[in-house]
Amino acid sequence: MAYDVSPTARTLMVLELIQNSPGITAEQLGDKLGVSERAARRYVAILREADIPIESVRGPYGGYRVGRGLRLPPLMFSPTEALGLVMAVLEGPRGAADPVEDALGKIVRVLPEAVARSTDAIRRVSARGPDPGARTPDPEITAALVSHSADSRRVTIHYRRHEDEWPMDVDPWAVVVRRGRWYLLCWSHAKDARRVLRVDKITKVEAQPGSFVAPADLDPLAAVEEHLAMGWRYPIEVEIEAPLDDAACWIPRSMGRLEPIDENRTRLLASTDEPDWYAGKLSEIRAPFRIIGGPELQSACQLVAHRLLTASTPD
C-alpha cells in the first residue's frame, strides 16, 4: 500500500476488511495495510470511538467483526458487488409499490459516483417480468460492459455461440435488461451495423483506445425490443386502420416495428416463429386491420377465427 494513504483512508479500509472478513486479526489487518499490528489496533480503536461496534474475540480463532448496534456502519461496494446487487433486485418479482426498489434507490444514491452511474444505468433500461429460461450473466463481465458504456469506450468482446467463440470490436451503447435476459446493444465495426448480443454469451471484455458517441435519440430498451421482433422465420406485414399513436397503444414494441402510412393508417412489420401465438396477439387490436404479408399468419388467424366462431355459435 502507498505510504501517502491518509489515516482516515486506512481507517475506512480497516472497516471494509472487517466487514468482508469477519474474524480477521490485527496481524492480518496490518499485513494487508502495510502497517504494524499496533497501528492496526489503533485504527480499530478509532472506529470504536466513532460508535461503530467493532467486536473482538480472544483465542486462536478470534479476531474482529462488526457487531450489531444502533447505527448502521458504512457499506462499501466494489463496482462488481454493486452491480451484482442491482442484478439480484432486477431479477426478483416486482410490485407496484416496491419497497426493495426504494431501498435500492437509497443505496445507489450513496455509492461513489463512478459505481452509482453504472448501476443506475442498468435500472433505467430494464423491463420487468423475468423469463423462466433467462440466464444470469457473469457480474464482472456485465460490470465491465456497463462501465465502458458509461465512459463511451470502444471494446473488444469475445462472443460464444454454440461451440465457437470469436472476437468482435464494438461500441457498447447500452446494457439492457428485458424479462430477466441481459442484452448488449452495440455497434459492430465488422458488420458496420447495430447488433443486440446476449451478455451471458460474452466471455471476455477488453477496453480499446477509441471512444464513441451513441445516437442522440437512442432509446436502448425500445431498440432492443424492436430488434427482437425481427429476424424470425415467418415475415409479417399488417395494415392497421388507425393512427400511429393509437396502434402503439395496442401493439407492444416486442411485436414489431410500427410506421405511419398516412394520418389514419399504420403499418406493422415483424416476424415470428409462432404464427398461432401472433394471431392471438393481433386479436387485441381495437381497429380493423388486414394481413398483407405472411401466409402462415393468415392461416393461423383463420383458424383462430374459426374456433371463436364455433365457440360463440349456439348448439
Side-chain angles (χ1 to χ4, degrees):
M1 179 174 294
Y3 289 102
D4 59 351
V5 175
S6 70
T8 301
R10 281 203 175 96
T11 303
L12 292 174
M13 290 175 188
V14 167
L15 175 58
E16 183 176 8
L17 289 168
I18 295 174
Q19 285 180 321
N20 293 338
S21 304
I24 191 171
T25 65
E27 181 181 2
Q28 292 169 328
L29 286 172
D31 289 342
K32 291 182 177 295
L33 293 173
V35 300
S36 66
E37 181 177 340
R38 181 178 179 182
R41 294 183 186 278
R42 185 164 63 249
Y43 294 129
V44 172
I46 293 173
L47 291 173
R48 287 170 171 165
E49 290 173 0
D51 292 332
I52 296 175
I54 304 296
E55 298 177 348
S56 57
V57 179
R58 297 183 180 278
Y61 303 104
Y64 297 111
R65 66 188 69 247
V66 178
R68 295 185 177 277
L70 297 178
R71 296 174 59 186
L72 180 68
L75 298 177
M76 302 178 187
F77 296 100
S78 68
T80 301
E81 291 170 338
L83 184 57
L85 174 63
V86 175
M87 292 169 72
V89 172
L90 290 180
E91 290 170 0
R94 301 273 72 82
D98 184 12
V100 176
E101 183 72 20
D102 292 340
L104 179 62
K106 293 179 180 179
I107 292 174
V108 170
R109 283 194 291 273
V110 299
L111 290 173
E113 194 276 335
V115 179
R117 182 157 46 100
S118 297
T119 54
D120 199 46
I122 289 295
R123 296 175 67 218
R124 287 186 283 103
V125 287
S126 64
R128 303 298 189 191
D131 186 328
R135 294 179 55 188
T136 303
D138 181 275
E140 290 191 10
I141 287 176
T142 310
L145 289 172
V146 175
S147 176
H148 295 316
S149 173
D151 293 338
S152 299
R153 175 67 60 187
R154 184 173 300 172
V155 299
T156 297
I157 63 172
H158 292 250
Y159 197 69
R160 183 183 67 251
R161 189 170 185 179
H162 305 303
E163 300 299 324
D164 298 324
E165 181 176 314
W166 63 90
M168 300 172 60
D169 291 333
V170 301
D171 295 342
W173 288 350
V175 175
V176 177
V177 187
R178 180 181 179 274
R179 300 195 64 202
R181 292 190 184 275
W182 294 70
Y183 298 96
L184 174 65
L185 175 63
C186 62
W187 182 266
S188 169
H189 290 277
K191 299 293 185 180
D192 195 28
R194 185 176 68 181
R195 287 290 182 266
V196 174
L197 306 174
R198 289 261 299 273
V199 177
D200 61 286
K201 294 182 179 294
I202 298 175
T203 61
K204 188 176 182 181
V205 180
E206 300 171 316
Q208 299 300 327
S211 60
F212 66 88
V213 177
D217 58 347
L218 181 67
D219 183 336
L221 182 56
V224 168
E225 290 187 327
E226 288 179 0
H227 177 90
L228 295 177
M230 308 301 290
W232 303 103
R233 186 183 310 173
Y234 304 116
I236 292 170
E237 181 179 353
V238 179
E239 287 188 3
I240 305 169
E241 299 293 331
L244 178 63
D245 290 344
D246 291 346
C249 296
W250 307 319
I251 304 294
R253 291 181 300 226
S254 57
M255 283 187 64
R257 184 175 73 250
L258 293 172
E259 56 185 37
I261 299 175
D262 53 38
E263 293 183 355
N264 299 310
R265 293 184 301 158
T266 302
R267 178 180 292 109
L268 168 62
L269 298 173
S271 62
T272 184
D273 277 355
E274 302 179 35
D276 293 341
W277 171 85
Y278 207 96
K281 300 299 291 184
L282 287 180
S283 66
E284 300 175 10
I285 298 177
R286 301 177 185 178
F289 64 88
R290 188 160 58 101
I291 301 171
I292 304 300
E296 298 81 9
L297 179 60
Q298 290 171 337
S299 297
C301 284
Q302 290 170 2
L303 290 175
V304 171
H306 179 72
R307 288 201 303 267
L308 292 174
L309 183 62
T310 301
S312 61
T313 301
D315 293 335

